[in-house]
Each structure stands twice: as structure tokens, then as C-alpha cells.
Amino acid sequence: MGSYYDVDAILTDAQKVPCTFELTVPGLGFVEGNMSGDMKQGSKVELPLWLGEMLALSQSLNTSSLVTLDPPAALAPRVLNALKADPRTVDLRALAPHFYNLGARILELFEEEEMIEVLSETFKARASVIADQAHNPRGALGEGADFMRGLDENERQLFRAAHDSAKAVRTWMTDLKKK
Amino acid sequence: MALPLPPGLTPPEVAFLCEMELVTVVPRQRLEGLALLGGQLPPLNPPHRTPLPLWLALLLKRQRRANIVPPPWLSPYSLEAILDHEIKHEDGFSPPPRLPHLPSNSLPFSPPFLPSSTADAAADALPYHWLELGEMLLEAAADDFEDPDNVRKLLRDLREVRMAKLRKGVEVLHAGGAIKMNGVGGMEVGEGRAFVGGVIDGLRKIAASREQQRKDRDREERENGYPGTAEDSDDDMDMQ
């Protein structure tokens, strides 16, 4: 997904996900902060998504996978319930700067029909608020400042697109008067 | 990131396209017919109304050599009726002008080649370039309107109502869904494209895994020899 140089995709993959080690790995304790020790079986570590995914999917010869992956805290059931209740009040940026991209990557790994539904509904409900905010000349200074601060990176791009096109039309109209 | 411009047309480009629309002018001076790339223009004889492309009409208007007759849908009465329709019917835009009936063997015409802004255009519908044309005429030829301030106000109202509808349309979207955009004008498409396109892209990204699953399942079914009902047409296409 995305191009090799897509900064947003790289940042998405750098977000941490909780992983549980299924095997004891000698000398890997430094990941956990235990400088000279071993990584014990069953210890939980936060690893970047790209690393966790590779370790979880690689099947070595005789064992099952090295680690098991859990959905990150940003996509925990508690968050999904909050989104179901009211998508507009959740601060997605605090959960994960690339919330939807992270969701899409997680959905590639886990089969969660419900999460697709919740994320789509959230995105739609928030998109219409974003459109209103982008169209409102008072912009982020008005009462929506909190909402605007909680936008994730995708939503910011959407806001910028909507804002720029509305501005382009306004600029054209004022240029017309100058002629 | 290669192109600094977003896909679609910028407002000046839409306005440029709008300038080929025909409008009716009342010339004040004689002018020989002009042979232009778009075809021969009729000669201008002072009291006779003549259809001219908007760019030429605006040029003559600025040189005070002609007056422009505003199209009938730009009258306060028609605009009020259309605005009323827009407010009452929340699900959908006011319909575009009806296409004229043509003999069955001739090729159908579509909006850019239909005179939808001349003095004898339909009064009850907004053509494709309504916003651009209205703004440009109000700017260059405000003295040819009976009540330019009222027309300007009504155009602003219409724009607000219709853009609000376009924004609300995204709430009913889903990854494979669509908004009904019949009757949306050129400038509105240009303005809404970035936002609506962004929403659809985002939704598809979220539901990408589901789409992939469906494709995999379809392929499996086909390979196992249980073609689903949806694949029948595809298989037929492959055979041809």
C-alpha cells in the first residue's frame, strides 16, 4: 500500500503495537530495557508495527511464530465503543497520529468486520464536520478548535483539500472584481 | 506529489471553459461577421439581438459596444423559484435544463453545445455553468440587470444551499457507493472534487482488507468450479 517513499506509510509502520514473545530469545533483553539478559517467553513488549509484523508472520522451520501480535491500544475495544457512541468527541490524534492508516494496516492482519464498520462510520461522520469547518471562514478559531486539534493525519489532509478548494473559488471571485 | 496542482480543474480554468457559452447581446455598433475557429459569427446590426460567445460579449461590453441580455434563469423570479425547490427537496439538486427533442437519427447534443444561457433559454433550470456565468455577468454587465443586487444575493444563497448538500452527501457514502450529483454545476464539481474524492479514498483504504477478502473468495470460488452468480457475466466476457 502506498509508494516506497510515502512518508505517511513509513510513519504508520513505525507506530508501536503490543507483542508477546512465544519463545525465550537469548541476548535480546535490551529490547525490554534489561541490558544483558535474555528475552523471556511470554514477556510483552511494544514493537514497531513493521518489526512486529515480520516476527509474527515469519514461520521458522519447527516452531510456530516467534511473537504474537495484539491490536494496539489505539484500536482497543474501549476506543471503538467510544467511537460508536460519538465519533466527533474522540481525540484521534492523541490515540495515534496516523489513526486510519494504522487501522487499515491492522485490518490487513486481523479479520475484524466490526472494526471496518466502526472506522468507516467514524470517518464519514467526522468528514462532514471537517467539511463544515473547512468552509467556515472563522476556521479553527471558532468553537471547533478542540475537534480540529484531534484530527489524524488523513483528516488533516482532507481538511486542507476542502479548505484550499473553497479558498480557490473565493479567490477567483475576488479576482473577477479587480478586472 | 509530482504535480503541484490537484486533479481536476481550478476555478479560473472552469471560468475559461464557461466563456465559450453563447449569450445574447444587443449591439450598439455595427460589426462585420467574424470568422473564428469555432465557426462563423453573425454580423452585428445594432437593434438586432445576436448570440455571441461569452468572452466576445464581455469584451464588447467593456468597450461599450454592446449590451448583454441576461438569460431568463438569472432573473430574481426564476432564482427564487429554484432556491425554493432546493430548500424543499433536501435529497438532490434542482434538475438541469431539459434536453431538446431531436429527430432520432441525429446525434444528441450535450450542455456545452446547447445554448443554455441565451435570451431564449429555459427559465426554470440552472445550466452547467450557472455560477461562473452569473458571477461574470454580474461583474461585467451589472447595469444590464434589472435588480443586480438581488440576483447577486440569490446566487450566493443558492451556492450556500447546494454546497451544504454536497457536503452532507458524504454521510451516505460507502466504499463502493456514490452521491447523486445530477444538476451540479461545473464550479461546484471543481470545488467539491478534492473533498469528496478524499473521503472516498479514505473509505476505500479502511475497507481495503474487506475488498481483498472478497476478491480472494471470488477467485477461490472460480478455481473450485463454483462460480457465484456475480461471476457469470465475467466468465462470458472472458470467452468472447
Side-chain angles (χ1 to χ4, degrees):
Chain A
M1 93 183 238
S3 112
Y4 183 77
Y5 295 107
D6 186 353
V7 178
D8 288 320
I10 295 171
L11 289 174
T12 306
D13 273 3
Q15 294 185 72
K16 300 277 176 80
V17 288
C19 302
T20 315
F21 272 80
E22 299 290 323
L23 297 170
T24 303
V25 187
L28 205 66
F30 64 87
V31 175
E32 230 182 349
N34 175 8
M35 265 315 166
S36 52
D38 298 346
M39 176 66 78
K40 299 272 180 340
Q41 186 177 2
S43 51
K44 279 188 188 288
V45 197
E46 294 262 316
L47 290 180
L49 180 56
W50 60 270
L51 182 59
E53 182 189 9
M54 264 199 315
L55 294 179
L57 293 186
S58 65
Q59 304 276 330
S60 48
L61 287 175
N62 45 4
T63 58
S64 59
S65 55
L66 186 60
V67 301
T68 50
L69 216 58
D70 295 317
L75 292 162
R78 194 175 53 81
V79 175
L80 295 185
N81 281 335
L83 288 177
K84 256 188 271 178
D86 187 359
R88 282 146 219 241
T89 52
V90 181
D91 185 349
L92 293 188
R93 201 170 184 78
L95 291 169
H98 293 81
F99 181 79
Y100 295 108
N101 287 353
L102 181 66
R105 294 280 283 123
I106 292 298
L107 284 168
E108 281 173 22
L109 302 171
F110 298 94
E111 248 184 63
E112 300 250 15
E113 276 295 313
E114 200 197 348
M115 201 191 287
I116 297 182
E117 284 303 318
V118 174
L119 289 186
S120 304
E121 287 305 317
T122 306
F123 188 63
K124 271 190 275 183
R126 291 169 69 99
S128 60
V129 186
I130 291 169
D132 284 340
Q133 290 281 351
H135 224 70
N136 185 355
R138 282 182 295 132
L141 299 172
E143 63 275 20
D146 280 341
F147 173 75
M148 296 302 299
R149 226 171 282 135
L151 295 187
D152 101 314
E153 210 52 46
N154 262 4
E155 291 175 326
R156 289 204 168 178
Q157 276 166 19
L158 199 61
F159 175 81
R160 192 164 302 145
H163 183 78
D164 284 353
S165 46
K167 193 173 143 202
V169 174
R170 270 205 302 279
T171 316
W172 172 73
M173 281 184 179
T174 44
D175 282 354
L176 207 59
K177 293 195 177 69
K178 280 184 206 149
K179 261 190 240 166
Chain B
M1 294 301 276
L3 277 174
L5 280 176
L9 297 177
T10 61
E13 285 165 349
V14 178
F16 178 77
L17 291 179
C18 166
E19 287 185 358
M20 76 184 251
E21 288 279 322
L22 292 180
V23 293
T24 305
V25 299
V26 181
R28 291 193 198 171
Q29 287 180 358
R30 294 179 63 86
L31 186 69
E32 296 286 311
L34 294 170
L36 299 179
L37 278 179
Q40 179 77 25
L41 288 182
L44 299 182
N45 281 323
H48 294 292
R49 293 179 166 201
T50 320
L52 285 186
L54 178 62
W55 62 268
L56 187 57
L58 290 176
L59 195 75
L60 293 178
K61 173 71 195 170
R62 289 205 185 97
Q63 297 176 350
R64 298 173 191 286
R65 292 207 256 183
N67 284 3
I68 300 176
V69 184
W73 52 263
L74 259 180
S75 69
Y77 179 75
S78 315
L79 287 179
E80 262 165 33
I82 295 169
L83 183 61
D84 203 43
H85 180 275
E86 292 279 357
I87 293 172
K88 273 192 191 136
H89 298 78
E90 286 196 354
D91 50 339
F93 301 86
S94 68
R98 279 179 298 281
L99 296 177
H101 281 289
L102 292 170
S104 54
N105 54 359
S106 65
L107 286 171
F109 273 131
S110 65
F113 305 104
L114 283 172
S116 57
S117 306
T118 52
D120 50 358
D124 58 347
L126 295 176
Y128 185 65
H129 285 299
W130 66 275
L131 182 61
E132 309 86 288
L133 196 111
E135 288 288 330
M136 279 195 261
L137 283 188
L138 278 172
E139 208 38 59
D143 51 335
D144 290 336
F145 284 82
E146 277 175 26
D147 192 357
D149 291 334
N150 201 7
V151 172
R152 194 171 283 130
K153 188 186 123 273
L154 283 166
L155 277 185
R156 286 288 144 86
D157 288 352
L158 264 176
R159 188 171 118 81
E160 283 298 314
V161 173
R162 288 164 65 102
M163 282 315 288
K165 273 185 196 175
L166 200 57
R167 291 196 298 260
K168 229 165 71 187
V170 300
E171 287 178 27
V172 296
L173 270 180
H174 51 92
I179 311 179
K180 193 170 184 227
M181 285 181 64
N182 295 5
V184 178
M187 194 63 88
E188 293 164 299
V189 171
E191 193 178 350
R193 180 191 301 271
F195 174 70
V196 176
V199 174
I200 294 178
D201 277 353
L203 285 176
R204 276 203 64 187
K205 215 188 262 176
I206 292 170
S209 63
R210 186 196 278 170
E211 209 174 302
Q212 190 58 41
Q213 270 172 32
R214 212 191 54 231
K215 272 186 203 154
D216 289 348
R217 202 169 53 231
D218 285 354
R219 194 181 319 114
E220 249 168 55
E221 275 176 7
R222 208 163 22 224
E223 276 164 11
N224 295 345
Y226 304 115
T229 45
E231 266 76 57
D232 284 343
S233 53
D234 286 357
D235 289 348
D236 291 347
M237 300 273 266
D238 290 343
M239 302 242 237
Q240 279 166 6

